[in-house]
Amino acid sequence: MPVPWFLLSLALGPSPMVLSLERLMGPQDAANCSLGLSCHLWDGDVLCLPGNIEPAPGPVLVPTRLQTKLVLRCHQETDCNLCVRVAVDLAVRGHWEEPEDEEQFGRAADPELEEPKNASLQAQVVLSFQAYPTARCVRLEVQVPAALVQPGQPVGSVTFDCFEAALGAEVQIWSYTQPRYQKELNFIQQLPDCRGLEVQDGIQSCWALPWLNVSADGEDVQLVLDVSEEQHFGLSLYWNQVQGPSKPWWHRNLTGPQTITLNHTDLVPCLCIQVWPLEPDSVRTSICPFKNDTRAHRNLWRAARLQLLPPRGWRLVAPCSLPAEATLCWQAPGRGSCQPLVPPLPRENVTVNEALEFPLLKGHPNLCVQQVSSGEKLQLQECLWSDSLGPLKDDMLLVETRGPQDNRSICALEPSGCTPLLSRASTRAARLGEQLLQDLQSGQCLQLWDNDLGALWACPMDKYIHQRWALVWLACLLFAAVLFLLLLLKKDHVKGWLRLLKEDVYSGAAARGRAALLLYSADDAGFERLVGTLASALCQLPLRVTVDLWSRRELSAQGSLAWFHAQRLQILQEGGVVILLFSPGAVALCQEWLQDGTSSAPGAHRPHDAFAASLSCVLPDFLQGRAPGRYIGAYFEGLLHPDAVPALFRAVPVLALPSQLPDFLRTLQGPGAARPGWLSNRAERVSRALQPALDSCLLPPGTQETGLEMAPEAGYRT
């Protein structure tokens, strides 16, 4: 269903919203004053030196407001430049000082002192103009007659024609007097480009601009460039960063006409489009049409992720700036939502891609970071220490509050609130209050945070759980022993049942086997069928396989990067493994990342290709030595030469299929692998299932579609 911004036309030509500008003939600057004032423009530019603020000796003229208006300065009818007209409103500030004799006797001591009060005022008004790469300062001399001099009242305005500037430039204007009696006025303005002005006939650089439209194509977005077949132009998609320079995302030199499709999951508020003809000194026109789109804002939060910077640093990584606040929270295993630690810990404003420091002494797997948007809505939560410190622990968080005169109180953070340890509440913390205090005093609790107002402690609860369940386990062991004796007495009847159970145990183990995430590059339809066959065959083992082929709906809803990040985190937390299936396309994408450190263009891979999106998380694991035990590599014989796999990935086993299937399956199953005979039997079944799909991939390739989306090539095919 189309959304409002899809209907926005970015056609670089006249439209009902464009501006029709006044034309000024000739290159000369000029100054004009409102009725009653006289003004004069000094010849030439002056130095831009505001100087220090000085006290007013009496009534003085000061600028009170800056206004601008766009005009055209034309040397000929079809040779014009954009120009900024500046108007400055002036007012009288300050009073005449009363002589001491006049205050004492109620009249002026000298009649000559009355003359200045009836005199006119004069001011030197300076206008400073900056628009990269231009900077100018001009001086206007303004005189106000005595009849208009009323302290605190406006006297009129002075207008300067005009400062020339480039189309689409950002200009800054300052106004002050010399000498300066107050802080200078400042004004920033973003000038329009060719599409916002009815000036195509007057500004020559606008004549050859392409036409660009943004429209809806179902869930996706189409950029339609309507230009002649002979015209060459550049098109760039970039992220307009608030902090620092813009970050390029995609760039092409094209020949019109063109239609480019973007996946709706790639849209973020700071995604901008820039287009220009491939000619010397051509005008570049930029537009950011997704700033206010709600779907783009949702995509931005889905793409955002938190990154731990050892020992206690972290940062929020996102393509655009996010108005958000961060706070720490405590996530107890299996006990509802994460509980914010505010107070005692404060909230912090977050700047995207900027390193921040945790106010902590130690890390803990139960400590998580919450990102709250400006509307107080929880947008992002991640437990950063879960990878390095293991899964969530059943620890009790104690909050110590310190008051004056060494007064302190300690409570335990529970889902119902912070429970005082020595209370009569019916919670776990209240029942174990005395034991927890003894643990705290004996140094068995880990101190996470400490300052003058309080402290946070994490106390292990494992031993109390063991004590509670000791009798239960003892009863279970006794029951098991009795049952074993009964089975020995009835062994003949049980043997048949055990034989059936033995045959069935492996077929039922798939539902509770080890988890595996299969990553691959979708080189072509035949290779995708081969991957699907492999995934289906692995599901017959004690493995739970996740592959993007079976999760297209979730992949489209969440986006490739967010989907992969969630799946990887879940599988690694469960002790699973990530399978990297190398192919010519996968090797090419890895080499691009290793060379450039940037992802490929949006058209370089299919919209549901999780492999390209996953490299931003996979490569750091290999570069930082965290891959062994978490990853395994594989490739199909005949589709890829063994030497084509980058050396970085050989830190983990990289096995050839189907010849090394037994070793591949043994590595996937981990330390608890089945007996060798059963494993060989399963490997033979998987090999038979793979062979037809592999043979179809080894056939001579057919005619491939050409266009913007071309599969990368690496390795070889036989």
Side-chain angles (χ1 to χ4, degrees):
M1 183 178 67
V3 293
W5 57 259
F6 285 146
L7 305 178
L8 170 66
S9 173
L10 308 181
L12 305 183
S15 73
M17 301 301 294
V18 299
L19 301 175
S20 180
L21 303 183
E22 176 186 347
R23 293 176 179 244
L24 303 178
M25 302 304 296
Q28 296 83 13
D29 295 336
N32 299 288
C33 298
S34 60
L35 184 64
L37 305 185
S38 60
C39 54
H40 169 68
L41 174 64
W42 283 39
D43 294 336
D45 292 353
V46 298
L47 293 177
C48 302
L49 299 174
N52 297 324
I53 297 178
E54 300 180 7
V60 293
L61 286 178
V62 293
T64 58
R65 187 173 66 158
L66 275 175
Q67 299 182 77
T68 62
K69 182 179 179 181
L70 299 182
V71 296
L72 291 179
R73 171 170 282 172
C74 301
H75 305 280
Q76 297 179 4
E77 187 66 25
T78 59
D79 185 12
C80 302
N81 293 320
L82 192 61
C83 211
V84 181
R85 172 184 290 167
V86 182
V88 184
D89 292 346
L90 302 172
V92 178
R93 176 185 174 188
H95 301 270
W96 293 112
E97 294 183 2
E98 298 291 340
E100 294 182 3
D101 292 342
E102 184 175 352
E103 294 177 0
Q104 181 177 355
F105 300 106
R107 58 182 178 83
D110 189 344
E112 294 182 0
L113 295 176
E114 294 290 337
E115 294 180 4
K117 297 184 179 182
N118 299 323
S120 62
L121 290 181
Q122 184 175 333
Q124 307 290 331
V125 179
V126 177
L127 295 177
S128 174
F129 178 86
Q130 289 188 9
Y132 181 83
T134 303
R136 290 186 61 193
C137 278
V138 297
R139 179 180 294 181
L140 306 168
E141 186 176 298
V142 183
Q143 190 163 359
V144 181
L148 297 179
V149 178
Q150 297 292 332
Q153 298 297 319
V155 297
S157 63
V158 59
T159 303
F160 171 74
D161 283 329
C162 57
F163 294 111
E164 292 189 20
L167 290 163
E170 182 182 84
V171 301
Q172 298 189 53
I173 305 170
W174 290 268
S175 177
Y176 53 89
T177 59
Q178 286 187 338
R180 188 160 64 97
Y181 302 114
Q182 66 177 19
K183 185 178 180 180
E184 64 268 21
L185 299 181
N186 184 18
F187 186 82
I188 300 177
Q189 182 177 3
Q190 182 71 44
L191 301 185
D193 47 33
C194 294
R195 73 180 183 279
L197 301 171
E198 200 175 67
V199 295
Q200 285 76 14
D201 295 335
I203 300 180
Q204 296 180 3
S205 58
C206 293
W207 293 356
L209 283 175
W211 292 59
L212 173 65
N213 290 282
V214 177
S215 61
D217 181 18
E219 288 293 324
D220 297 329
V221 181
Q222 284 192 340
L223 309 181
V224 182
L225 293 105
D226 185 12
V227 294
S228 62
E229 295 184 0
E230 296 81 14
Q231 184 175 353
H232 303 280
F233 61 92
L235 180 68
S236 176
L237 303 179
Y238 64 94
W239 291 323
N240 189 25
Q241 306 282 353
V242 175
Q243 299 91 12
S246 299
K247 184 178 180 181
W249 183 50
W250 189 80
H251 169 81
R252 285 290 186 275
N253 291 335
L254 304 170
T255 302
Q258 290 282 348
T259 299
I260 296 162
T261 302
L262 298 178
N263 193 314
H264 73 277
T265 58
D266 294 327
L267 305 181
V268 290
C270 64
L271 180 61
C272 299
I273 307 163
Q274 190 177 75
V275 62
W276 67 96
L278 295 179
E279 298 174 357
D281 301 324
S282 60
V283 175
R284 295 193 175 206
T285 299
S286 299
I287 188 68
C288 304
F290 313 115
K291 286 182 179 179
N292 300 318
D293 180 60
T294 55
R295 220 168 25 160
H297 282 274
R298 287 197 300 268
N299 291 339
L300 177 58
W301 278 111
R302 288 169 181 164
R305 58 187 178 89
L306 299 173
Q307 183 179 29
L308 182 64
L309 304 175
R312 294 186 301 276
W314 69 284
R315 67 182 165 204
L316 175 63
V317 180
C320 310
S321 61
L322 284 168
E325 292 181 331
T327 183
L328 287 172
C329 65
W330 180 263
Q331 179 65 66
R335 288 187 176 87
S337 60
C338 196
Q339 295 173 272
L341 300 179
V342 180
L345 298 181
R347 281 188 178 181
E348 292 188 28
N349 291 322
V350 180
T351 301
V352 171
N353 301 325
E354 181 177 296
L356 300 172
E357 192 78 13
F358 284 115
L360 297 174
L361 300 175
K362 298 284 186 178
H364 193 281
N366 293 28
L367 283 174
C368 306
V369 180
Q370 288 183 338
Q371 297 289 332
V372 181
S373 63
S374 54
E376 295 296 323
K377 181 180 179 182
L378 178 62
Q379 297 285 0
L380 184 64
Q381 177 181 310
E382 193 162 345
C383 301
L384 296 178
W385 284 280
S386 59
D387 283 344
S388 58
L389 300 181
L392 300 178
K393 296 182 178 179
D394 191 17
D395 290 358
M396 183 69 70
L397 184 70
L398 302 186
V399 181
E400 178 183 348
T401 304
R402 296 168 183 165
Q405 300 178 354
D406 254 351
N407 291 331
R408 69 172 190 165
S409 62
I410 300 177
C411 63
L413 191 65
E414 295 186 290
S416 59
C418 207
T419 306
L421 290 185
L422 300 179
S423 69
R424 296 183 178 180
S426 59
T427 64
R428 183 172 68 155
R431 290 193 299 268
L432 300 174
E434 293 184 3
Q435 292 94 321
L436 289 172
L437 280 177
Q438 292 175 2
D439 292 346
L440 180 60
Q441 294 168 359
S442 61
Q444 298 182 39
C445 298
L446 176 67
Q447 188 174 28
L448 304 178
W449 172 75
D450 184 35
N451 74 354
D452 296 337
L453 300 178
L456 296 176
W457 306 82
C459 298
M461 299 292 289
D462 296 341
K463 60 181 180 180
Y464 301 113
I465 297 175
H466 294 161
Q467 291 174 3
R468 176 181 296 181
W469 291 101
L471 293 177
V472 177
W473 283 115
L474 184 60
C476 291
L477 289 175
L478 183 60
F479 176 77
V482 173
L483 181 62
F484 180 71
L485 290 175
L486 291 175
L487 292 177
L488 288 178
L489 296 175
K490 302 288 185 180
K491 60 180 181 179
D492 292 335
H493 298 282
V494 175
K495 273 186 178 180
W497 177 78
L498 288 178
R499 189 179 299 110
L500 294 175
L501 179 64
K502 186 177 180 181
E503 294 176 358
D504 239 10
V505 67
Y506 295 113
S507 61
R512 55 187 182 275
R514 193 182 188 191
L517 174 61
L518 180 58
L519 295 179
Y520 69 98
S521 174
D523 291 7
D524 52 49
F527 188 75
E528 278 193 313
R529 286 193 296 271
L530 179 58
V531 172
T533 303
L534 175 62
S536 299
L538 294 180
C539 285
Q540 304 303 316
L541 307 173
L543 289 173
R544 291 180 286 115
V545 181
T546 301
V547 63
D548 62 352
L549 280 172
W550 303 337
S551 306
R552 286 288 167 82
R553 180 176 299 177
E554 294 85 353
L555 199 64
S556 297
Q558 300 177 19
S560 298
L561 181 60
W563 179 86
F564 165 75
H565 184 67
Q567 297 298 326
R568 168 187 168 275
L569 183 62
Q570 179 181 348
I571 285 177
L572 293 184
Q573 284 181 344
E574 295 175 359
V577 64
V578 179
I579 305 171
L580 299 178
L581 193 57
F582 291 99
S583 65
V587 170
L589 288 172
C590 294
Q591 290 173 346
E592 287 181 18
W593 270 88
L594 293 173
Q595 293 171 2
D596 304 336
T598 57
S599 63
S600 59
H605 56 83
R606 298 181 60 178
H608 300 297
D609 192 351
F611 187 89
S614 67
L615 288 178
S616 62
C617 295
V618 170
L619 286 177
D621 286 344
F622 280 87
L623 293 172
Q624 298 173 16
R626 299 197 303 262
R630 296 180 169 192
Y631 293 81
I632 179 176
Y635 62 93
F636 290 106
E637 294 167 311
L639 298 184
L640 186 72
H641 194 280
D643 295 335
V645 178
L648 175 65
F649 297 96
R650 297 190 178 276
V652 301
V654 180
L655 304 173
L657 303 182
S659 65
Q660 293 181 299
L661 262 173
D663 294 335
F664 179 71
L665 299 181
R666 185 178 299 107
T667 306
L668 284 182
Q669 287 190 299
R675 64 186 187 278
W678 181 88
L679 199 61
S680 300
N681 183 36
R682 290 295 179 177
E684 184 177 354
R685 291 186 185 181
V686 174
S687 179
R688 287 200 302 267
L690 285 177
Q691 200 60 50
L694 181 59
D695 292 340
S696 66
C697 285
L698 295 175
L699 294 175
T703 303
Q704 303 290 333
E705 293 182 3
T706 61
L708 287 178
E709 298 185 358
M710 297 182 64
E713 295 182 1
Y716 73 93
R717 290 194 176 192
T718 58

